[in-house]
Amino acid sequence: MYKLNGCVALITGVSHGNGIGAAICNKLAAEGVNIFFTHWGSNTDWVKKFEFSIREYGVRCGSLEVDLADPSAPFHLLDVVTAELGSPAILVNNAAHSSRDGYMNLDAKTLDDHYAVNMRGSFLLSVEFARRFSQSQQAMGRIINLTSGQALGPMLGELAYAATKGAISAFTLSLSAELAPLGITVNAVNPGPTDTGWMNEEIKQELLPKFLLGRIGIPADAARLVAFLASQEAEWITGQIFNSEGGFFRS
């Protein structure tokens, strides 16, 4: 459908089967993309089974446990991906750090923990991807960042998370302008509240009336949009923040 056969995609933050990262891996693999994903703190058996399930699409798959808070991680990660599968043409920055804070609890460590993964890890990985892409002579490059709709309304009790995710949106716009001459598009996706296993029944009942399309978001919703943005069909789209939330209404 999307003419992606044979490309290599690097997706970060794929640590369990119910997440957006796993859904993105499945969707891209179904389109013929070779998959390399990162995980952190995951069950080893699950990682092996997930790799096997991706290979059942007829593509290659590799993975690496990596802490993106390590400043050297982006460079080591790209070395491993290239050695195992070849130069990636698609980068999906899905990994994120999130913890509750609020003004009474926010401190330097909380800020630093969010910054290290959400900003520095994603930013360094993006620019190193671009530097290597310019030498790989590939025809198409895609960077797709995951963000959280922090510009659409307040996120109470999540000051560090909202601030660092907001920086991703600003980075997306400016990086897209720098990389356009290389043929790399840079976009961001805000999937809205998504049921990845963290929602209990009480939260679901509270959120459901706010989705004007009548259901709560699922990981496959984000994955479909990411697959489109990764494709040749989206070659004219760059520097955009896509708020794909099923009409989520912030009252």
Side-chain angles (χ1 to χ4, degrees), residues 133-235:
F133 178 89
S134 65
Q135 300 171 357
S136 67
Q137 299 182 331
Q138 297 195 73
M140 178 193 82
R142 302 284 186 265
I143 297 175
I144 303 164
N145 300 316
L146 272 292
T147 187
S148 298
Q150 64 290 321
L152 303 178
M155 300 179 70
L156 302 180
E158 297 184 89
L159 293 173
Y161 180 77
T164 52
K165 281 291 189 175
I168 291 174
S169 297
F171 183 77
T172 295
L173 178 59
S174 291
L175 185 65
S176 71
E178 289 197 19
L179 300 189
L182 299 178
I184 301 174
T185 65
V186 187
N187 294 290
V189 171
N190 159 37
T194 302
D195 185 7
T196 60
W198 63 272
M199 294 184 186
N200 59 32
E201 195 59 33
E202 182 180 354
I203 292 174
K204 290 179 182 180
Q205 292 304 314
E206 179 184 349
L207 291 179
L208 182 57
K210 299 182 179 182
F211 285 94
L212 301 183
L213 283 178
R215 65 169 174 83
I216 292 173
I218 58 175
D221 296 321
R224 285 191 292 268
L225 180 52
V226 168
F228 168 70
L229 292 173
S231 74
Q232 294 179 11
E233 305 298 322
E235 66 179 359

Side-chain angles (χ1 to χ4, degrees), residues 10-16 19-25 38 68 91-97 117-118 122 125 144-147 161 165 168 189 191 196 222 226:
L10 168 57
I11 302 99
T12 66
V14 186
S15 294
H16 62 90
I20 290 174
I24 291 170
C25 290
T38 74
L68 288 172
L91 169 63
V92 181
N93 285 308
N94 174 66
H97 177 84
V117 176
N118 298 350
S122 295
L125 187 54
I144 303 164
N145 300 316
L146 272 292
T147 187
Y161 180 77
K165 281 291 189 175
I168 291 174
V189 171
T196 60
V226 168

Side-chain angles (χ1 to χ4, degrees), residues 82-95:
T82 302
E84 188 165 333
L85 296 182
S87 298
I90 302 164
L91 169 63
V92 181
N93 285 308
N94 174 66

Side-chain angles (χ1 to χ4, degrees), residues 2-87:
Y2 288 140
K3 304 176 183 177
L4 288 171
N5 287 349
C7 291
V8 175
L10 168 57
I11 302 99
T12 66
V14 186
S15 294
H16 62 90
N18 296 324
I20 290 174
I24 291 170
C25 290
N26 277 295
K27 179 60 177 174
L28 290 178
E31 301 295 341
V33 177
N34 297 309
I35 301 296
F36 195 100
F37 65 92
T38 74
H39 55 91
W40 181 247
S42 298
N43 179 281
T44 302
D45 288 339
W46 175 81
V47 173
K48 292 179 180 178
K49 290 178 181 178
F50 187 67
E51 283 188 18
F52 180 80
S53 70
I54 293 297
R55 294 190 186 107
E56 289 188 316
Y57 289 101
V59 301
R60 295 181 293 159
C61 181
S63 69
L64 182 69
E65 181 172 30
V66 59
D67 182 4
L68 288 172
D70 180 349
S72 66
F75 310 97
H76 173 61
L77 174 57
L78 285 167
D79 286 343
V80 173
V81 176
T82 302
E84 188 165 333
L85 296 182
S87 298

